[in-house]
């Protein structure tokens, strides 16, 4: 038995897709028979141009082969990302030409990796399991110029229809996606395995609580992640930081397509309580989580983001620190229902953000139940069994 895994990101890259796929492959290896083999075709670390983590182009491990494709240097713009994906797709098709597999697994946040997986499965006449982590057709209207939205949505709707219809099973990472997909593709077979908490965060949460700010000192608020249009930090942080000057100091760790705009707006507002740092390794990030008083999350005020469930919520919640989240829709419902000591405000609403900040209790909170419920190893173990059932049915 041989499984082909197509994932644009994989360890040691820094992204939700990388962490998710790496954990899933590990779970598959634990459950597959000894004569089974997994081949992962991914990219060399490329999530952020400001962060580099060396990795071998080919790794041969027991029951596992990892092939990492070198991409041209690129930033976070759509043109650069498109060129990078074309390179990836071309080389994937070249690598699989003579390979023999029993199933194709593809994970995708921007649709095209899923489409590539569907093409490979069709070409090889193999069963296909898709893991969908975003609704690309729903989000492009918020990032493209208005004149391009309608033709782009029409085109990618057809691409999405072709892709989803070729899958034997589709996993949706957020229950917020359910209505969108079931209304359009009611005959498809769906599962709902969410993102989860990796062991590193569980161990770190158990190891220590960090040092909360002393009375009279500013509260340290940490944001760690992508700085893009989707996160909308440029639309909330400058005004929020200015309003809370002297009370809060913000630490931002990350990179992305809107980092320059964020820095420009911070300068325009004269903010002195925001520091921006380049992406760091996970081991270092865990230390920053422990040092922080409050963990900050924000999604831009776009209708499409009412359906998503950010993976960052899981690692934030695992740490036991207060969470300050500018989210709406399904994510807001999830936070209120599942996460203690979390304050939710509407995206880009500075007044409400300031108001709910006062409801947070500084210090550690026991979220043992949450960590047990959403431990990544438990989620991916069930997902691995689901994938294997598709091979059996196929």
């Amino acid at each position: 038995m041989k499984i082909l895994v197509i994932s644009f990101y994989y360890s040691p890259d820094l992204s939700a897709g990388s962490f998710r796929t790496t954990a899933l492959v590990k779970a598959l290896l634990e459950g597959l028979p000894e004569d089974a083999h997994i081949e992962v075709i991914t990219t060399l670390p490329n999530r952020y141009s400001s962060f580099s983590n060396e990795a071998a182009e080919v790794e041969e491990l027991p029951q596992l082969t990892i092939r990492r494709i070198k991409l041209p240097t690129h930033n976070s713009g759509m043109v650069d990302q498109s060129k990078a994906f074309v390179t990836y797709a071309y080389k994937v098709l070249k690598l699989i030409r003579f390979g023999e597999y029993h199933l194709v697994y593809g994970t995708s946040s921007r649709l095209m990796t899923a489409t590539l997986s569907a093409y490979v499965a069709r070409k090889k006449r193999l069963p296909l399991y898709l893991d969908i982590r975003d609704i690309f057709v729903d989000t492009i209207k918020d990032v493209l110029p208005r004149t391009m939205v309608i033709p782009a949505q029409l085109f990618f709707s057809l691409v999405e229809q072709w892709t989803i219809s070729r899958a034997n099973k589709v996993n949706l990472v957020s229950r917020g996606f359910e209505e969108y997909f079931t209304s359009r593709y009611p005959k498809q077979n769906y599962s709902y395995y969410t993102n989860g908490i990796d062991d590193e965060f569980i161990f770190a949460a158990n190891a220590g609580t960090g040092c909360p700010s002393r009375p009279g000192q500013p509260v340290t608020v940490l944001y760690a992640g992508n700085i893009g249009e989707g996160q909308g930090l440029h639309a909330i942080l400058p005004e929020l930081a200015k309003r809370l000057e002297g009370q809060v100091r913000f630490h931002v760790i990350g990179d992305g397509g809107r980092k320059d705009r964020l820095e420009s707006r911070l300068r325009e507002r004269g903010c002195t309580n925001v520091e921006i740092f380049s992406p760091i390794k996970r081991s270092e990030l865990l230390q920053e989580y422990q040092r922080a008083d409050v963990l900050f999350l924000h999604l831009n005020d776009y209708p499409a983001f009412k359906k998503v469930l950010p993976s960052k919520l899981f690692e934030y919640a695992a740490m036991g620190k207060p969470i300050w989240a500018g989210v709406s829709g399904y994510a807001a419902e999830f936070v209120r229902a599942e996460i203690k000591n979390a304050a939710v405000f509407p995206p880009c609403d500075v007044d409400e953000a300031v108001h709910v900040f006062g409801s947070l209790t500084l210090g550690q909170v026991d979220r043992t139940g949450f960590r047990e419920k959403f431990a990544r190893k438990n989620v991916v173990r069930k997902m691995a069994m689901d994938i294997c059932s598709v091979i059996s049915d196929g």
Side-chain angles (χ1 to χ4, degrees):
M1 178 191 301
K2 190 170 184 180
I3 298 175
L4 174 63
V5 173
I6 298 177
S7 177
F8 198 80
Y9 298 113
Y10 194 80
S11 178
D13 218 336
L14 300 177
S15 75
S18 168
F19 305 143
R20 181 175 176 83
T21 308
T22 304
L24 176 64
V25 167
K26 182 179 178 181
L28 281 167
L29 289 171
E30 291 172 354
L32 289 172
E34 290 185 5
D35 62 343
H37 196 88
I38 298 174
E39 181 176 339
V40 176
I41 305 183
T42 183
T43 63
L44 285 166
N46 70 95
R47 171 69 166 172
Y48 299 115
S49 58
S50 59
F51 178 85
S52 177
N53 205 351
E54 296 298 321
E57 290 193 32
V58 179
E59 273 189 78
E60 291 286 357
L61 303 167
Q63 295 185 277
L64 174 64
T65 301
I66 305 169
R67 305 188 190 280
R68 296 184 178 92
I69 294 168
K70 185 176 182 179
L71 301 179
T73 302
H74 67 285
N75 293 311
S76 297
M78 287 195 68
V79 173
D80 277 0
Q81 289 182 15
S82 298
K83 290 179 180 177
F85 179 77
V86 168
T87 300
Y88 175 65
Y90 171 77
K91 293 188 178 180
V92 167
L93 295 176
K94 193 173 180 180
L95 286 169
I96 61 93
R97 188 181 306 170
F98 301 111
E100 294 184 4
Y101 311 97
H102 294 88
L103 176 131
V104 177
Y105 167 88
T107 181
S108 185
S109 66
R110 293 192 180 94
L111 180 61
M112 295 313 295
T113 306
T115 303
L116 173 63
S117 303
Y119 178 79
V120 171
R122 183 174 182 268
K123 183 179 180 67
K124 293 283 188 178
R125 298 182 181 179
L126 296 171
L128 171 67
Y129 191 108
L130 288 179
D131 181 42
I132 301 297
R133 297 182 286 107
D134 202 356
I135 307 176
F136 185 74
V137 173
D138 213 19
T139 58
I140 54 174
K141 66 178 181 293
D142 299 320
V143 297
L144 288 178
R146 190 170 298 178
T147 54
M148 296 176 61
V149 168
I150 292 177
Q153 281 193 310
L154 287 172
F155 173 75
F156 284 110
S157 291
L158 292 173
V159 173
E160 179 188 85
Q161 182 180 31
W162 184 89
T163 301
I164 299 299
S165 66
R166 269 149 185 80
N168 295 67
K169 192 162 193 179
V170 175
N171 180 70
L172 304 177
V173 77
S174 168
R175 276 280 180 182
F177 296 165
E178 183 175 12
E179 182 180 353
Y180 175 93
F181 282 98
T182 56
S183 63
R184 286 164 176 76
Y185 316 108
K187 295 181 180 179
Q188 183 54 264
N189 190 13
Y190 297 100
S191 55
Y192 300 89
Y193 297 105
T194 66
N195 281 300
I197 306 163
D198 291 311
D199 286 345
E200 298 98 310
F201 294 94
I202 294 173
F203 297 151
N206 292 332
T209 61
C211 301
S213 295
R214 293 184 294 275
Q217 288 191 336
V219 173
T220 300
V221 174
L222 173 67
Y223 171 86
N226 196 44
I227 308 174
E229 184 66 25
Q231 292 72 36
L233 290 187
H234 57 282
I236 182 74
L237 199 52
E239 183 62 29
L240 185 59
K242 197 65 181 177
R243 288 275 293 273
L244 295 174
E245 211 162 27
Q247 302 175 55
V248 172
R249 58 173 178 257
F250 289 90
H251 288 179
V252 176
I253 300 176
D255 202 347
R258 291 294 180 265
K259 181 180 177 181
D260 290 345
R261 184 179 296 183
L262 172 61
E263 291 175 328
S264 174
R265 291 189 176 181
L266 289 170
R267 286 193 297 270
E268 288 171 6
R269 293 292 291 130
C271 296
T272 59
N273 56 337
V274 181
E275 292 184 82
I276 302 176
F277 305 91
S278 295
I280 55 179
K281 293 180 180 179
R282 252 187 165 186
S283 57
E284 298 169 1
L285 180 60
L286 287 167
Q287 295 174 17
E288 295 302 321
Y289 282 163
Q290 289 177 327
R291 293 188 186 105
D293 299 313
V294 175
L295 302 177
F296 182 77
L297 178 75
H298 188 262
L299 293 178
N300 217 332
D301 190 17
Y302 294 148
F305 294 145
K306 294 180 184 294
K307 303 181 182 73
V308 305
L309 183 59
S311 61
K312 186 63 64 176
L313 271 176
F314 293 91
E315 59 187 60
Y316 273 12
M319 299 304 297
K321 295 295 180 79
I323 295 175
W324 193 15
V327 294
S328 60
Y330 181 71
E333 294 172 13
F334 181 87
V335 173
R336 293 188 180 106
E338 300 283 358
I339 305 177
K340 300 175 184 177
N341 198 20
V344 177
F345 63 93
C348 303
D349 189 332
V350 175
D351 290 337
E352 190 62 18
V354 172
H355 175 70
V356 301
F357 181 71
S359 69
L360 290 172
T361 301
L362 296 184
Q364 202 81 0
V365 64
D366 183 6
R367 297 197 185 112
T368 303
F370 183 90
R371 291 196 292 267
E372 290 175 351
K373 183 175 181 180
F374 294 105
R376 176 99 71 184
K377 61 184 178 184
N378 297 333
V379 174
V380 295
R381 187 180 297 124
K382 294 174 184 176
M383 189 173 176
M385 293 172 61
D386 198 36
I387 292 169
C388 291
S389 71
V390 171
I391 298 175
S392 301
D393 294 342

